[in-house]
Amino acid sequence: MSDKKICKYILEIILSFKIKEIYYPEKQKEVKDPKHRERKDVRFDILVEDYEHNLYDVEAQTTDKKDLGWRMRYYAAKIDQRYTLDKGKTYRNIKKAYLIFLCNFDPEGEGRIKYTYHTYEDHNKSKQLQDGLEKL
């Protein structure tokens, strides 16, 4: 995944859409918050930005700790905190983010190769919250 062409190709296969171009992938990108040392840090396995400023975080999960949703939430928060919104900008300026967790286990136990998660309105699943975050 550290090779730009291979990384782009794999992302396009997983996401099922074309990406114009990507910047060089960053491996093992550590996000620390020195002001909050008691908070858990994260290390993004592969962090990529495309030329439209969408972010892609690719994580390898080898153990099913039954916390995938919680882990995704935390990683999304860290991406937003560190990379998506500059001072003085509106919330509409937040970059789109794709969290991609590659698992060697079936997190839902349904035998599918891919699960995609979004935020929907509880009473009307046709209404998706437009938050720019996709979790796969």
Side-chain angles (χ1 to χ4, degrees), residues 87-120:
K87 281 185 175 182
K89 299 291 184 179
T90 69
Y91 290 109
R92 289 184 305 279
N93 296 117
I94 292 176
K95 298 175 184 180
K96 286 185 180 177
Y98 299 86
L99 295 180
I100 303 165
F101 281 55
L102 304 175
C103 305
N104 64 354
F105 55 89
D106 183 347
E108 298 292 344
E110 295 180 4
R112 294 180 16 218
I113 194 164
K114 179 179 171 182
Y115 298 92
T116 306
Y117 304 93
H118 297 91
T119 305
Y120 294 95

Side-chain angles (χ1 to χ4, degrees), residues 69-81:
W70 296 106
R71 184 179 293 265
M72 286 179 162
R73 175 182 162 185
Y74 198 72
Y75 275 56
K78 289 295 187 178
I79 286 173
D80 284 343
Q81 176 188 24

Side-chain angles (χ1 to χ4, degrees), residues 19-122:
I19 299 170
K20 185 176 178 181
E21 190 64 44
I22 63 172
Y23 294 107
Y24 287 96
E26 294 187 69
K27 298 183 297 181
Q28 297 295 312
K29 179 70 176 178
E30 195 168 25
V31 176
K32 291 185 175 188
D33 187 355
K35 292 182 181 178
H36 300 98
R37 293 177 196 207
E38 69 281 355
R39 300 287 183 242
K40 185 173 183 72
D41 295 326
V42 298
R43 180 173 302 195
F44 300 122
D45 290 349
I46 300 287
L47 185 62
V48 180
E49 185 173 353
D50 68 19
Y51 282 89
E52 294 171 350
H53 303 292
N54 299 310
L55 295 169
Y56 306 87
D57 171 28
V58 182
E59 300 292 327
Q61 300 297 301
T62 59
T63 305
D64 187 1
K65 296 182 180 178
K66 308 294 186 209
D67 66 353
L68 205 57
W70 296 106
R71 184 179 293 265
M72 286 179 162
R73 175 182 162 185
Y74 198 72
Y75 275 56
K78 289 295 187 178
I79 286 173
D80 284 343
Q81 176 188 24
R82 184 64 159 239
Y83 297 101
T84 66
L85 193 60
D86 295 329
K87 281 185 175 182
K89 299 291 184 179
T90 69
Y91 290 109
R92 289 184 305 279
N93 296 117
I94 292 176
K95 298 175 184 180
K96 286 185 180 177
Y98 299 86
L99 295 180
I100 303 165
F101 281 55
L102 304 175
C103 305
N104 64 354
F105 55 89
D106 183 347
E108 298 292 344
E110 295 180 4
R112 294 180 16 218
I113 194 164
K114 179 179 171 182
Y115 298 92
T116 306
Y117 304 93
H118 297 91
T119 305
Y120 294 95
E121 202 283 321
D122 284 344

